[in-house]
Amino acid sequence: MNQDALYQLTPFEFEQLAGQLLTSEGIDRLNYVGGAIDSCVDFVGEQNGETIAVEVKHRERPFSVNELR
């Protein structure tokens, strides 16, 4: 998938893609916890016996350097 196609995804589609990527990277017991009141965590899973919390951000344009800082 190219960068332009990523920007075309809806927030829900983007989160689905993120979940698929996390699973393909070996995150076990991945659970979606996102939504309007997700406390800044979209997914919780395990890898190598450690709990991992992941927040994803869908954008319609690239982040600026200042936004990343």
Side-chain angles (χ1 to χ4, degrees), residues 29-58:
R29 296 186 186 104
L30 186 66
N31 292 306
Y32 175 73
V33 293
I37 54 171
D38 64 13
S39 298
C40 297
V41 174
D42 289 315
F43 297 96
V44 174
E46 291 183 14
Q47 188 173 42
N48 302 323
E50 295 185 347
T51 300
I52 296 174
V54 177
E55 172 70 8
V56 297
K57 294 293 183 194
H58 176 267

Side-chain angles (χ1 to χ4, degrees), residues 4-43:
D4 290 332
L6 283 174
Y7 292 128
Q8 300 293 322
L9 295 176
T10 66
F12 177 74
E13 292 168 333
F14 187 78
E15 288 179 342
Q16 284 184 315
L17 177 61
Q20 292 169 359
L21 291 171
L22 291 166
T23 299
S24 73
E25 288 297 315
I27 307 297
D28 299 317
R29 296 186 186 104
L30 186 66
N31 292 306
Y32 175 73
V33 293
I37 54 171
D38 64 13
S39 298
C40 297
V41 174
D42 289 315
F43 297 96

